[in-house]
Amino acid sequence: MAVVNMTAAFIRSLTSKPPDSGRVEYWDSLTAGLCLRVSPTGQGTWTFRYRPREGAGFQRITLGKLNELTLAEARERVLRHRVAVSDGGDPQGERKARRHAASQALTFDGLAQRYLNEYAKPNKKSWRNDEGYLKRPQAAWGARAASTITRRNVIALLDAIRAEAPVSANRTHTILTTLFNWAVEGELLEATPIAGLKKRARETAKERVLSDPEIRVLWQKLDGAGGLSDDVADALKLILVLGQRPGEVAGALQSELIKLGDAVDARWEIPAGRTKAGRAHVVPLPPMGMELFKRALSRRAIDGDGQSVFASKFTSRKTIARHSLSHGLSRVIQRLPVDGPDSEARRSLKESPPTPHDLRRTLATGLARLGVPREDRKAVLAHIEGDVHGQHYDKYERLREKRSALVTWEEHLAALVK
């Protein structure tokens, strides 16, 4: 235990040359009980060690992080805590009691909502995915105190999801890990029940691409899919026609559609806030894509809010949810009769059901098969180069090349589904 005369200069030397391994503690010779813990990353934390009057062993309470608390402020906090201890108090015990009381009052529904409002929405473009994956845990644990959820509860829930949808089980696992870690970091919970738990399902890289007969069967089924809304059917078609991400298609807004009646310059401008790369993306609209958007807008003229392109049936949201496309596509394929034209393709669709993202991959593969250059395919898909030049300097939109690529694909697609 190193006892030192702490000064500002000494502390600067610690953070500029942190320990090679392990956490090192430095105790202030002028303020009994004040300790600075320094990690190999140079991060420091102030703590105070004391012994309560009621006979308990030594206790330690965290005062704050080094980058948030100066030496003088840390010493002042120790003096305040020491007065409380001399009066019979136990600062750390009282803090634990407050946390425990708060965690007992906090239901899982309440915790999930706080996570969405305070963390997911401000920090994640995909927060609606988090909201969707939390529905099963909320249905299972909603009114229960979040602090009472055990590791066995988490395993049972994830295994139940895995039996129906292995990938969804892993995505739910990821969201729950983030949620519980956030709750512990924010002192809403004392511990996470999911720490160290391995994913419950094994995933393989997705390579599903629809064959031309499969495209024809699926397109024709979407034209008259019973039980599927026109908005969901048209959104699925647009993914296949334009190759954009399912979430971007589902969340399309009317304000993003530019010159929709112009056969030469019609385009869809997706803002940076709605793209995975955080970079605005312009999609030229070939005739089939333009007509699908027009058809959706004609429905909004009757029942729309003037903002969304594809409207949700739920009043709590304006646009359809990303997972509505997955559920809709799954229902269409489940109801697909095996007998009929292209029977082999029908069987293939039912035996290996594609996802909405597979429709995007199908376009990408189809463009390659049709001889569209790699740079133009990447431009259509909004895949940018990973180097500094590609990310920050190359701002050329390749609109002409993207339009040519999408027209080439649409002509192939139209010949298939006519």
Side-chain angles (χ1 to χ4, degrees):
M1 182 173 71
V3 180
V4 298
N5 179 22
M6 286 194 188
T7 63
F10 175 75
I11 292 171
R12 284 195 298 271
S13 71
L14 292 179
T15 55
S16 61
K17 293 182 179 180
D20 294 331
S21 62
R23 184 176 61 187
V24 178
E25 295 185 341
Y26 299 92
W27 296 83
D28 185 14
S29 62
L30 299 181
T31 310
L34 176 60
C35 174
L36 176 62
R37 289 174 160 175
V38 182
S39 71
T41 63
Q43 302 298 312
T45 304
W46 295 106
T47 68
F48 170 50
R49 192 179 72 161
Y50 64 95
R51 186 193 293 272
R53 281 174 51 184
E54 296 303 322
F58 277 108
Q59 301 293 315
R60 188 191 293 259
I61 186 170
T62 299
L63 303 174
K65 295 181 179 179
L66 178 59
N67 61 356
E68 299 171 350
L69 206 63
T70 66
L71 172 60
E73 290 169 336
R75 284 172 170 165
E76 182 182 352
R77 291 193 184 187
V78 167
L79 293 177
R80 290 203 304 267
H81 282 311
R82 188 175 292 144
V83 170
V85 172
S86 66
D87 289 340
D90 180 1
Q92 178 65 356
E94 293 161 8
R95 177 181 289 183
K96 287 182 177 179
R98 288 194 299 271
R99 287 183 189 170
H100 180 72
S103 66
Q104 290 299 311
L106 182 63
T107 65
F108 183 80
D109 267 341
L111 178 63
Q113 198 56 54
R114 286 194 60 174
Y115 163 80
L116 291 170
N117 291 339
E118 298 174 26
Y119 176 79
K121 291 181 181 180
N123 297 292
K124 301 181 70 176
K125 295 175 185 175
S126 59
W127 68 267
R128 289 194 182 279
N129 288 340
D130 293 26
E131 184 179 46
Y133 284 118
L134 283 173
K135 289 188 183 301
R136 285 285 293 269
Q138 286 183 275
W141 309 324
R144 181 172 170 177
S147 61
T148 66
I149 295 168
T150 66
R151 191 178 188 84
R152 172 47 52 189
N153 296 147
V154 175
I155 291 172
L157 175 70
L158 294 176
D159 283 348
I161 298 174
R162 181 183 60 178
E164 303 172 3
V167 173
S168 291
N170 285 351
R171 298 299 175 271
T172 304
H173 183 133
T174 299
I175 301 305
L176 286 175
T177 299
T178 305
L179 179 149
F180 282 122
N181 286 342
W182 172 82
V184 171
E185 179 70 20
E187 299 188 352
L188 298 174
L189 295 177
E190 294 183 17
T192 167
I194 204 170
L197 184 66
K198 294 182 179 180
K199 296 285 180 67
R200 309 304 292 168
R202 177 174 295 180
E203 293 186 45
T204 57
K206 294 182 178 180
E207 300 177 351
R208 182 73 162 95
V209 174
L210 275 68
S211 66
D212 284 352
E214 287 178 323
I215 292 174
R216 178 167 51 247
V217 168
L218 180 60
W219 189 279
Q220 292 170 349
K221 187 63 178 177
L222 287 172
D223 273 337
L228 194 63
S229 75
D230 291 337
D231 278 341
V232 171
D234 284 348
L236 289 168
K237 285 185 176 182
L238 267 170
I239 298 171
L240 190 56
V241 171
L242 300 177
Q244 302 311 300
R245 293 182 175 86
E248 293 166 0
V249 174
L253 300 175
Q254 295 181 27
S255 58
E256 298 169 358
L257 301 177
I258 310 299
K259 296 186 178 180
L260 200 55
D262 189 331
V264 175
D265 199 26
R267 60 192 186 275
W268 175 22
E269 297 184 354
I270 310 174
R274 288 212 315 109
T275 65
K276 182 177 181 179
R279 178 174 174 172
H281 179 48
V282 181
V283 185
L285 296 178
M288 194 179 291
M290 188 163 47
E291 287 306 311
L292 285 167
F293 271 128
K294 283 183 177 180
R295 191 158 73 184
L297 291 181
S298 69
R299 294 192 291 269
R300 298 294 79 76
I302 300 172
D303 62 4
D305 54 16
Q307 299 179 35
S308 59
V309 174
F310 302 109
S312 172
K313 64 181 180 180
F314 301 104
T315 57
S316 60
R317 58 178 299 135
K318 296 186 182 298
T319 61
I320 57 176
R322 160 68 175 82
H323 61 265
S324 294
L325 301 183
S326 298
H327 294 163
L329 183 56
S330 177
R331 287 200 303 273
V332 166
I333 293 173
Q334 286 173 2
R335 297 172 181 176
L336 189 66
V338 176
D339 298 328
D342 293 314
S343 58
E344 186 175 336
R346 292 168 181 267
R347 283 194 295 272
S348 176
L349 285 168
K350 292 181 77 69
E351 291 171 3
S352 180
T355 67
H357 196 84
D358 293 335
L359 304 183
R360 170 175 159 89
R361 187 181 297 107
T362 296
L363 173 138
T365 304
L367 290 179
R369 194 173 68 224
L370 293 170
V372 174
R374 175 181 172 82
E375 293 82 359
D376 298 345
R377 302 197 307 268
K378 293 180 68 174
V380 168
L381 298 170
H383 285 170
I384 60 174
E385 296 291 345
D387 60 11
V388 172
H389 176 76
Q391 290 187 2
H392 300 290
Y393 294 100
D394 186 0
K395 300 298 183 181
Y396 176 48
E397 288 285 355
R398 303 184 76 87
L399 283 178
R400 182 177 64 254
E401 292 86 350
K402 286 191 282 191
R403 185 176 294 278
S404 175
L406 288 172
V407 167
T408 297
W409 170 248
E410 186 174 284
E411 288 173 348
H412 173 76
L413 194 60
L416 287 178
V417 303
K418 65 180 180 180

